Amino acid sequence: MNNKLCCWLMILSFPILLFSAALTQSNVTGYWAFNQGGISNIGWISTEYLTVDAESRINPSSWDVSPSGSEVLGKALGYSAEQYMVGISGDIHLAGIYNGPTSGEFGGYDTSLAKKWEIYQDVSNSTLTIDNITSTLPSGGNNELIIRNKATGSNFSVQVGEMHISGGNKVSLGTVSGGCFIENFTLGDSAAGGSVNVSGGSTIDIRAANIASYVDEINISGGTVNIYKGLSNDTSTYTDCSADFSKASLNISGSGNRGVLRFGSSSSDKMAGDFLLGDISIESGSDLGMAVYSSKNVSFGNVVADGTSTFTLYAGNFTVGDVVHSAKTSWFIGKNTLGNGVETTTFSGSKLILAGTDADNLAEMSVYTRYLNSSSLQNVEISNGTLAFFGGAYDNGAGTEYYGFDLDLQNATVKLSGKTKLQYGYAWNNTMDGVARIGDLVLDCDGMDSEWLIYSSQSICMYINSISSETQGGSGSVLEWKFNNKNVYVQNDAEIAVETFLLYGQLHVLGNYLNGFDGESLMHYQNSGNGNFYVTGTFETKGTFAVCFDAAFTSTKTIMNVGGIVGGTSGSKITTGYNYEAYSNNTGVSIIALTGAGSYSTTTALVDFSAGANPTELALNGALGINKTGEGVQYLRGENMYRGNTTVSAGELYINASGSGNSAGWGIGAVSLTGGKFGAVGASGNIGKIVATDLTWSNSAMIAVDFAADGTSDLISLSGNFLKAEGDAEGQYMFDFSGVFAAEETKYQIMSWESDSTVE
């Protein structure tokens, strides 16, 4: 202690006087006021100005604050001395400790000087009760109140009703020095509750072995609350504690310091105790940083925020209710280093909403956990945000591996908009061993820039109930799904309306699929894997739908498997990406397989070069072909122009390919009939024309021809050869004639070929 102070210390004794007036903050504005009995030592004070009431509480309203000098306790803060100490022994009750703004005769004192007041347990076990602690000095006061055990003392209990700290001041309940911790700390009143208010850069540090809380709310506006381990007198080791603030709501407002709430000191020195907190509210413009380091249980109520926030959470088990964020946010639930994953993470609420401020200020949540409970979630919305689920890291003896778990969102509607990223699994070489399940997926495609990363060891890595698009994407809208060459199943219908859809895996739609983008859109696959697109029901596109691989290939690849193609708008097409320069090296054949058993009709054109252009002047790369394998009927009524093979092995396929849509008169490439039925069809009626190169015909297949009473009929016009299938024996080949015939003298031309063609 400062030598100058020591000479002012005296043992106080004073008579008991009756006084029952209540202590209020207005009584003591301008100084620290200690209202209690049994003070053993006070620096710079004289008993002649003190009176006490029947309960042995010093009553500051009787203090004479007019004398000059240093007799009044409150004046001590105005002097330049740095530290004042008050020793206590026995059970003490303080009605309050106040540090208010200076006024009147205190106005001349320099309150910007850092002052330190210490209340310490002097000799024996004791309980210090303080109804409230209030500091309202203006910013720059930098005063500190320390309540601690004496270094060589025994157990010390402290009870504080409320705390209201502002102006850059600090309250330390227990200190980091040896043996000065608090054994039992109680905050709030079990019947009346209470509140904690910290603002203006102020700090509350709590170091205790046991913490009990009854406060109703904790309000932080630019302040900090830290809860650390205490120190044991018996073993000189740090003592873990639990903190149950589950009855309190945490309210953050104003622009404040980061790290406003901390439990435990670091990830390498976790608290072996529980940390429970009620609802959390973060107001717009505020800045919250929460760090929780616990090897036990951590639980939050609902978290609603429209202010910036960072949550760093290490826990044995973590539980949170609804999470609704509408500002820049960073959640780190565990970490990807060995031993720092959470054992079990539970979303107990129905909402998980991460909506960042914009594409540069994302709301982010990363979950490193061994087990995940998320089945109660019903509404998951990501807008300008990232949601990532990882397994906690562990050492498998050969390196770092990650625990796997199922991602259960099958009861949730998941909505994506803006810049988003969803991730399940850590990396392609550190995969989950579970499956992700999602309910209905809703896409707000206008302005979408969305990335999905799915790393799972399972062949089917994700199930989605349905996909719908609320809006159509604009120029630059992107949906990128990297499934690590695994399968994703959509159980019902799907509509995706982005300009670019990057699919690195296999997408299976068990219902119908609609490409809702009415301009020129692109779906491309990863060439190194088995990228593909399967639709059990119908496929429809509103505009041009270009399908290709993202690297050059020269072989034959199936790029789409669809039940049937339907619908169509003016100018709608399905193409191999003829006008995408990045894919001009794709010189192989891209196959569309028609697999359905129903009846399908479309006016969408299948093309592999630009309609209206002279194809002989184009760099004709990436030919398109058709395989008809399903038992159903497909009518392709658009102006189809492609150079790959058309193969019919089952069902019926009718094509309009008159060659009138381009200056060279090209239609389709070679036709191979191994089964089923094949014929021409018109854009609107049944009479049509097919311009093709070669036709190879098995006697197990049939060519269908429609006739009209005006003498017109379907026509297949070959520029190449008309051949029977290899292995066919000599025999009959079948036609299926239908329609209304003209007079007997009318001649119908149903097939034609060039004079130099080979005709078997």
PDB file of all heavy atoms in Angstrom, residues 536-566:
ATOM      1  N   THR A 536     -36.589 -38.376 -63.825  1.00  0.00           N
ATOM      2  CA  THR A 536     -37.522 -39.484 -64.030  1.00  0.00           C
ATOM      3  C   THR A 536     -38.768 -39.021 -64.767  1.00  0.00           C
ATOM      4  O   THR A 536     -39.302 -39.733 -65.621  1.00  0.00           O
ATOM      5  CB  THR A 536     -37.912 -40.099 -62.679  1.00  0.00           C
ATOM      6  OG1 THR A 536     -36.728 -40.549 -62.019  1.00  0.00           O
ATOM      7  CG2 THR A 536     -38.865 -41.262 -62.855  1.00  0.00           C
ATOM      8  N   GLY A 537     -39.233 -37.809 -64.444  1.00  0.00           N
ATOM      9  CA  GLY A 537     -40.434 -37.275 -65.078  1.00  0.00           C
ATOM     10  C   GLY A 537     -40.106 -36.486 -66.323  1.00  0.00           C
ATOM     11  O   GLY A 537     -39.359 -36.939 -67.191  1.00  0.00           O
ATOM     12  N   THR A 538     -40.645 -35.280 -66.413  1.00  0.00           N
ATOM     13  CA  THR A 538     -40.489 -34.460 -67.614  1.00  0.00           C
ATOM     14  C   THR A 538     -39.422 -33.396 -67.421  1.00  0.00           C
ATOM     15  O   THR A 538     -39.167 -32.941 -66.300  1.00  0.00           O
ATOM     16  CB  THR A 538     -41.811 -33.771 -67.970  1.00  0.00           C
ATOM     17  OG1 THR A 538     -42.189 -32.889 -66.899  1.00  0.00           O
ATOM     18  CG2 THR A 538     -42.916 -34.787 -68.193  1.00  0.00           C
ATOM     19  N   PHE A 539     -38.817 -33.008 -68.529  1.00  0.00           N
ATOM     20  CA  PHE A 539     -37.875 -31.896 -68.553  1.00  0.00           C
ATOM     21  C   PHE A 539     -38.456 -30.791 -69.420  1.00  0.00           C
ATOM     22  O   PHE A 539     -38.958 -31.045 -70.510  1.00  0.00           O
ATOM     23  CB  PHE A 539     -36.523 -32.328 -69.116  1.00  0.00           C
ATOM     24  CG  PHE A 539     -35.567 -31.175 -69.301  1.00  0.00           C
ATOM     25  CD1 PHE A 539     -34.787 -30.740 -68.249  1.00  0.00           C
ATOM     26  CD2 PHE A 539     -35.491 -30.502 -70.514  1.00  0.00           C
ATOM     27  CE1 PHE A 539     -33.922 -29.663 -68.405  1.00  0.00           C
ATOM     28  CE2 PHE A 539     -34.632 -29.424 -70.683  1.00  0.00           C
ATOM     29  CZ  PHE A 539     -33.843 -29.002 -69.620  1.00  0.00           C
ATOM     30  N   GLU A 540     -38.334 -29.530 -68.930  1.00  0.00           N
ATOM     31  CA  GLU A 540     -38.832 -28.389 -69.698  1.00  0.00           C
ATOM     32  C   GLU A 540     -37.888 -27.221 -69.496  1.00  0.00           C
ATOM     33  O   GLU A 540     -37.361 -27.023 -68.395  1.00  0.00           O
ATOM     34  CB  GLU A 540     -40.236 -28.004 -69.239  1.00  0.00           C
ATOM     35  CG  GLU A 540     -40.827 -26.806 -69.968  1.00  0.00           C
ATOM     36  CD  GLU A 540     -42.221 -26.440 -69.501  1.00  0.00           C
ATOM     37  OE1 GLU A 540     -42.760 -27.137 -68.610  1.00  0.00           O
ATOM     38  OE2 GLU A 540     -42.781 -25.439 -70.012  1.00  0.00           O
ATOM     39  N   THR A 541     -37.653 -26.461 -70.536  1.00  0.00           N
ATOM     40  CA  THR A 541     -36.848 -25.248 -70.420  1.00  0.00           C
ATOM     41  C   THR A 541     -37.600 -24.076 -71.018  1.00  0.00           C
ATOM     42  O   THR A 541     -38.259 -24.203 -72.051  1.00  0.00           O
ATOM     43  CB  THR A 541     -35.477 -25.409 -71.105  1.00  0.00           C
ATOM     44  OG1 THR A 541     -34.736 -24.203 -70.956  1.00  0.00           O
ATOM     45  CG2 THR A 541     -35.612 -25.732 -72.582  1.00  0.00           C
ATOM     46  N   LYS A 542     -37.489 -22.932 -70.349  1.00  0.00           N
ATOM     47  CA  LYS A 542     -38.133 -21.723 -70.850  1.00  0.00           C
ATOM     48  C   LYS A 542     -37.291 -21.019 -71.906  1.00  0.00           C
ATOM     49  O   LYS A 542     -37.821 -20.258 -72.709  1.00  0.00           O
ATOM     50  CB  LYS A 542     -38.406 -20.760 -69.693  1.00  0.00           C
ATOM     51  CG  LYS A 542     -39.502 -21.221 -68.756  1.00  0.00           C
ATOM     52  CD  LYS A 542     -39.777 -20.158 -67.701  1.00  0.00           C
ATOM     53  CE  LYS A 542     -40.937 -20.560 -66.803  1.00  0.00           C
ATOM     54  NZ  LYS A 542     -41.227 -19.519 -65.778  1.00  0.00           N
ATOM     55  N   GLY A 543     -35.974 -21.214 -71.873  1.00  0.00           N
ATOM     56  CA  GLY A 543     -35.085 -20.562 -72.821  1.00  0.00           C
ATOM     57  C   GLY A 543     -34.103 -21.553 -73.388  1.00  0.00           C
ATOM     58  O   GLY A 543     -34.395 -22.745 -73.510  1.00  0.00           O
ATOM     59  N   THR A 544     -32.917 -21.087 -73.735  1.00  0.00           N
ATOM     60  CA  THR A 544     -31.863 -21.969 -74.228  1.00  0.00           C
ATOM     61  C   THR A 544     -31.172 -22.637 -73.051  1.00  0.00           C
ATOM     62  O   THR A 544     -30.708 -21.972 -72.125  1.00  0.00           O
ATOM     63  CB  THR A 544     -30.842 -21.182 -75.057  1.00  0.00           C
ATOM     64  OG1 THR A 544     -31.481 -20.681 -76.229  1.00  0.00           O
ATOM     65  CG2 THR A 544     -29.689 -22.064 -75.474  1.00  0.00           C
ATOM     66  N   PHE A 545     -31.098 -23.958 -73.101  1.00  0.00           N
ATOM     67  CA  PHE A 545     -30.483 -24.754 -72.043  1.00  0.00           C
ATOM     68  C   PHE A 545     -29.282 -25.458 -72.649  1.00  0.00           C
ATOM     69  O   PHE A 545     -29.425 -26.411 -73.414  1.00  0.00           O
ATOM     70  CB  PHE A 545     -31.495 -25.767 -71.497  1.00  0.00           C
ATOM     71  CG  PHE A 545     -31.006 -26.568 -70.324  1.00  0.00           C
ATOM     72  CD1 PHE A 545     -30.865 -25.982 -69.073  1.00  0.00           C
ATOM     73  CD2 PHE A 545     -30.710 -27.916 -70.458  1.00  0.00           C
ATOM     74  CE1 PHE A 545     -30.430 -26.718 -67.986  1.00  0.00           C
ATOM     75  CE2 PHE A 545     -30.280 -28.667 -69.380  1.00  0.00           C
ATOM     76  CZ  PHE A 545     -30.139 -28.062 -68.141  1.00  0.00           C
ATOM     77  N   ALA A 546     -28.088 -24.946 -72.360  1.00  0.00           N
ATOM     78  CA  ALA A 546     -26.857 -25.522 -72.903  1.00  0.00           C
ATOM     79  C   ALA A 546     -26.259 -26.474 -71.875  1.00  0.00           C
ATOM     80  O   ALA A 546     -26.134 -26.134 -70.701  1.00  0.00           O
ATOM     81  CB  ALA A 546     -25.864 -24.415 -73.234  1.00  0.00           C
ATOM     82  N   VAL A 547     -25.901 -27.688 -72.336  1.00  0.00           N
ATOM     83  CA  VAL A 547     -25.362 -28.715 -71.452  1.00  0.00           C
ATOM     84  C   VAL A 547     -24.017 -29.170 -71.996  1.00  0.00           C
ATOM     85  O   VAL A 547     -23.911 -29.517 -73.177  1.00  0.00           O
ATOM     86  CB  VAL A 547     -26.308 -29.919 -71.353  1.00  0.00           C
ATOM     87  CG1 VAL A 547     -25.824 -30.882 -70.278  1.00  0.00           C
ATOM     88  CG2 VAL A 547     -27.725 -29.466 -71.073  1.00  0.00           C
ATOM     89  N   CYS A 548     -22.990 -29.167 -71.146  1.00  0.00           N
ATOM     90  CA  CYS A 548     -21.678 -29.595 -71.617  1.00  0.00           C
ATOM     91  C   CYS A 548     -20.785 -29.905 -70.425  1.00  0.00           C
ATOM     92  O   CYS A 548     -21.154 -29.658 -69.274  1.00  0.00           O
ATOM     93  CB  CYS A 548     -21.040 -28.519 -72.494  1.00  0.00           C
ATOM     94  SG  CYS A 548     -20.977 -26.907 -71.721  1.00  0.00           S
ATOM     95  N   PHE A 549     -19.619 -30.459 -70.719  1.00  0.00           N
ATOM     96  CA  PHE A 549     -18.618 -30.735 -69.701  1.00  0.00           C
ATOM     97  C   PHE A 549     -17.624 -29.579 -69.632  1.00  0.00           C
ATOM     98  O   PHE A 549     -17.453 -28.838 -70.601  1.00  0.00           O
ATOM     99  CB  PHE A 549     -17.907 -32.052 -69.992  1.00  0.00           C
ATOM    100  CG  PHE A 549     -18.752 -33.250 -69.733  1.00  0.00           C
ATOM    101  CD1 PHE A 549     -19.636 -33.707 -70.694  1.00  0.00           C
ATOM    102  CD2 PHE A 549     -18.674 -33.915 -68.522  1.00  0.00           C
ATOM    103  CE1 PHE A 549     -20.432 -34.813 -70.456  1.00  0.00           C
ATOM    104  CE2 PHE A 549     -19.468 -35.020 -68.270  1.00  0.00           C
ATOM    105  CZ  PHE A 549     -20.353 -35.473 -69.243  1.00  0.00           C
ATOM    106  N   ASP A 550     -16.972 -29.463 -68.464  1.00  0.00           N
ATOM    107  CA  ASP A 550     -16.129 -28.287 -68.263  1.00  0.00           C
ATOM    108  C   ASP A 550     -14.702 -28.482 -68.767  1.00  0.00           C
ATOM    109  O   ASP A 550     -13.832 -27.679 -68.489  1.00  0.00           O
ATOM    110  CB  ASP A 550     -16.111 -27.869 -66.786  1.00  0.00           C
ATOM    111  CG  ASP A 550     -15.453 -28.902 -65.882  1.00  0.00           C
ATOM    112  OD1 ASP A 550     -15.039 -29.955 -66.397  1.00  0.00           O
ATOM    113  OD2 ASP A 550     -15.350 -28.645 -64.669  1.00  0.00           O
ATOM    114  N   ALA A 551     -14.442 -29.561 -69.509  1.00  0.00           N
ATOM    115  CA  ALA A 551     -13.125 -29.778 -70.104  1.00  0.00           C
ATOM    116  C   ALA A 551     -13.320 -30.560 -71.394  1.00  0.00           C
ATOM    117  O   ALA A 551     -14.363 -31.157 -71.635  1.00  0.00           O
ATOM    118  CB  ALA A 551     -12.208 -30.520 -69.144  1.00  0.00           C
ATOM    119  N   ALA A 552     -12.309 -30.541 -72.229  1.00  0.00           N
ATOM    120  CA  ALA A 552     -12.432 -31.158 -73.546  1.00  0.00           C
ATOM    121  C   ALA A 552     -12.618 -32.666 -73.439  1.00  0.00           C
ATOM    122  O   ALA A 552     -12.032 -33.324 -72.596  1.00  0.00           O
ATOM    123  CB  ALA A 552     -11.195 -30.841 -74.372  1.00  0.00           C
ATOM    124  N   PHE A 553     -13.475 -33.238 -74.305  1.00  0.00           N
ATOM    125  CA  PHE A 553     -13.584 -34.678 -74.435  1.00  0.00           C
ATOM    126  C   PHE A 553     -13.861 -35.006 -75.900  1.00  0.00           C
ATOM    127  O   PHE A 553     -14.459 -34.216 -76.632  1.00  0.00           O
ATOM    128  CB  PHE A 553     -14.658 -35.255 -73.510  1.00  0.00           C
ATOM    129  CG  PHE A 553     -16.069 -34.960 -73.938  1.00  0.00           C
ATOM    130  CD1 PHE A 553     -16.775 -35.873 -74.721  1.00  0.00           C
ATOM    131  CD2 PHE A 553     -16.700 -33.794 -73.565  1.00  0.00           C
ATOM    132  CE1 PHE A 553     -18.075 -35.611 -75.110  1.00  0.00           C
ATOM    133  CE2 PHE A 553     -17.990 -33.526 -73.952  1.00  0.00           C
ATOM    134  CZ  PHE A 553     -18.692 -34.438 -74.729  1.00  0.00           C
ATOM    135  N   THR A 554     -13.426 -36.184 -76.321  1.00  0.00           N
ATOM    136  CA  THR A 554     -13.574 -36.585 -77.719  1.00  0.00           C
ATOM    137  C   THR A 554     -14.413 -37.839 -77.860  1.00  0.00           C
ATOM    138  O   THR A 554     -14.653 -38.303 -78.968  1.00  0.00           O
ATOM    139  CB  THR A 554     -12.191 -36.837 -78.344  1.00  0.00           C
ATOM    140  OG1 THR A 554     -11.509 -37.843 -77.589  1.00  0.00           O
ATOM    141  CG2 THR A 554     -11.357 -35.560 -78.341  1.00  0.00           C
ATOM    142  N   SER A 555     -14.869 -38.395 -76.755  1.00  0.00           N
ATOM    143  CA  SER A 555     -15.641 -39.637 -76.785  1.00  0.00           C
ATOM    144  C   SER A 555     -17.136 -39.319 -76.825  1.00  0.00           C
ATOM    145  O   SER A 555     -17.540 -38.193 -77.099  1.00  0.00           O
ATOM    146  CB  SER A 555     -15.299 -40.479 -75.563  1.00  0.00           C
ATOM    147  OG  SER A 555     -15.589 -39.744 -74.388  1.00  0.00           O
ATOM    148  N   THR A 556     -17.937 -40.330 -76.539  1.00  0.00           N
ATOM    149  CA  THR A 556     -19.393 -40.163 -76.461  1.00  0.00           C
ATOM    150  C   THR A 556     -19.805 -40.208 -75.001  1.00  0.00           C
ATOM    151  O   THR A 556     -19.458 -41.147 -74.277  1.00  0.00           O
ATOM    152  CB  THR A 556     -20.110 -41.266 -77.251  1.00  0.00           C
ATOM    153  OG1 THR A 556     -19.745 -41.173 -78.627  1.00  0.00           O
ATOM    154  CG2 THR A 556     -21.616 -41.131 -77.120  1.00  0.00           C
ATOM    155  N   LYS A 557     -20.524 -39.190 -74.560  1.00  0.00           N
ATOM    156  CA  LYS A 557     -20.968 -39.101 -73.168  1.00  0.00           C
ATOM    157  C   LYS A 557     -22.457 -38.802 -73.127  1.00  0.00           C
ATOM    158  O   LYS A 557     -22.959 -38.005 -73.927  1.00  0.00           O
ATOM    159  CB  LYS A 557     -20.221 -37.992 -72.412  1.00  0.00           C
ATOM    160  CG  LYS A 557     -18.745 -38.275 -72.163  1.00  0.00           C
ATOM    161  CD  LYS A 557     -18.095 -37.085 -71.442  1.00  0.00           C
ATOM    162  CE  LYS A 557     -16.641 -37.374 -71.104  1.00  0.00           C
ATOM    163  NZ  LYS A 557     -16.496 -38.353 -70.023  1.00  0.00           N
ATOM    164  N   THR A 558     -23.155 -39.429 -72.195  1.00  0.00           N
ATOM    165  CA  THR A 558     -24.557 -39.103 -71.963  1.00  0.00           C
ATOM    166  C   THR A 558     -24.617 -37.904 -71.028  1.00  0.00           C
ATOM    167  O   THR A 558     -24.124 -37.965 -69.905  1.00  0.00           O
ATOM    168  CB  THR A 558     -25.315 -40.286 -71.358  1.00  0.00           C
ATOM    169  OG1 THR A 558     -25.236 -41.390 -72.258  1.00  0.00           O
ATOM    170  CG2 THR A 558     -26.776 -39.931 -71.127  1.00  0.00           C
ATOM    171  N   ILE A 559     -25.221 -36.827 -71.497  1.00  0.00           N
ATOM    172  CA  ILE A 559     -25.246 -35.606 -70.697  1.00  0.00           C
ATOM    173  C   ILE A 559     -26.574 -35.385 -69.988  1.00  0.00           C
ATOM    174  O   ILE A 559     -26.632 -34.646 -69.013  1.00  0.00           O
ATOM    175  CB  ILE A 559     -24.926 -34.374 -71.566  1.00  0.00           C
ATOM    176  CG1 ILE A 559     -25.941 -34.234 -72.702  1.00  0.00           C
ATOM    177  CG2 ILE A 559     -23.510 -34.434 -72.089  1.00  0.00           C
ATOM    178  CD1 ILE A 559     -25.830 -32.939 -73.463  1.00  0.00           C
ATOM    179  N   MET A 560     -27.649 -36.021 -70.457  1.00  0.00           N
ATOM    180  CA  MET A 560     -28.955 -35.896 -69.819  1.00  0.00           C
ATOM    181  C   MET A 560     -29.708 -37.213 -69.966  1.00  0.00           C
ATOM    182  O   MET A 560     -29.716 -37.808 -71.045  1.00  0.00           O
ATOM    183  CB  MET A 560     -29.796 -34.775 -70.460  1.00  0.00           C
ATOM    184  CG  MET A 560     -29.322 -33.378 -70.211  1.00  0.00           C
ATOM    185  SD  MET A 560     -30.325 -32.160 -71.146  1.00  0.00           S
ATOM    186  CE  MET A 560     -31.958 -32.407 -70.432  1.00  0.00           C
ATOM    187  N   ASN A 561     -30.322 -37.647 -68.874  1.00  0.00           N
ATOM    188  CA  ASN A 561     -31.261 -38.765 -68.899  1.00  0.00           C
ATOM    189  C   ASN A 561     -32.594 -38.231 -68.409  1.00  0.00           C
ATOM    190  O   ASN A 561     -32.733 -37.894 -67.224  1.00  0.00           O
ATOM    191  CB  ASN A 561     -30.797 -39.896 -67.985  1.00  0.00           C
ATOM    192  CG  ASN A 561     -29.540 -40.569 -68.469  1.00  0.00           C
ATOM    193  OD1 ASN A 561     -29.590 -41.568 -69.164  1.00  0.00           O
ATOM    194  ND2 ASN A 561     -28.388 -40.014 -68.091  1.00  0.00           N
ATOM    195  N   VAL A 562     -33.568 -38.115 -69.310  1.00  0.00           N
ATOM    196  CA  VAL A 562     -34.858 -37.538 -68.920  1.00  0.00           C
ATOM    197  C   VAL A 562     -35.973 -38.472 -69.364  1.00  0.00           C
ATOM    198  O   VAL A 562     -35.846 -39.181 -70.378  1.00  0.00           O
ATOM    199  CB  VAL A 562     -35.060 -36.134 -69.533  1.00  0.00           C
ATOM    200  CG1 VAL A 562     -33.987 -35.185 -69.039  1.00  0.00           C
ATOM    201  CG2 VAL A 562     -35.079 -36.178 -71.057  1.00  0.00           C
ATOM    202  N   GLY A 563     -37.064 -38.462 -68.584  1.00  0.00           N
ATOM    203  CA  GLY A 563     -38.216 -39.264 -68.979  1.00  0.00           C
ATOM    204  C   GLY A 563     -38.741 -38.820 -70.323  1.00  0.00           C
ATOM    205  O   GLY A 563     -38.935 -39.624 -71.244  1.00  0.00           O
ATOM    206  N   GLY A 564     -38.967 -37.517 -70.442  1.00  0.00           N
ATOM    207  CA  GLY A 564     -39.404 -36.952 -71.702  1.00  0.00           C
ATOM    208  C   GLY A 564     -39.275 -35.447 -71.657  1.00  0.00           C
ATOM    209  O   GLY A 564     -39.214 -34.841 -70.577  1.00  0.00           O
ATOM    210  N   ILE A 565     -39.254 -34.831 -72.840  1.00  0.00           N
ATOM    211  CA  ILE A 565     -39.118 -33.374 -72.954  1.00  0.00           C
ATOM    212  C   ILE A 565     -40.475 -32.800 -73.306  1.00  0.00           C
ATOM    213  O   ILE A 565     -41.148 -33.287 -74.229  1.00  0.00           O
ATOM    214  CB  ILE A 565     -38.081 -32.998 -74.022  1.00  0.00           C
ATOM    215  CG1 ILE A 565     -36.732 -33.662 -73.704  1.00  0.00           C
ATOM    216  CG2 ILE A 565     -37.908 -31.484 -74.095  1.00  0.00           C
ATOM    217  CD1 ILE A 565     -35.701 -33.516 -74.801  1.00  0.00           C
ATOM    218  N   VAL A 566     -40.907 -31.758 -72.581  1.00  0.00           N
ATOM    219  CA  VAL A 566     -42.233 -31.173 -72.782  1.00  0.00           C
ATOM    220  C   VAL A 566     -42.109 -29.659 -72.888  1.00  0.00           C
ATOM    221  O   VAL A 566     -41.041 -29.081 -72.675  1.00  0.00           O
ATOM    222  CB  VAL A 566     -43.190 -31.548 -71.625  1.00  0.00           C
ATOM    223  CG1 VAL A 566     -43.374 -33.057 -71.533  1.00  0.00           C
ATOM    224  CG2 VAL A 566     -42.669 -30.992 -70.295  1.00  0.00           C
TER     225      VAL A 566
END
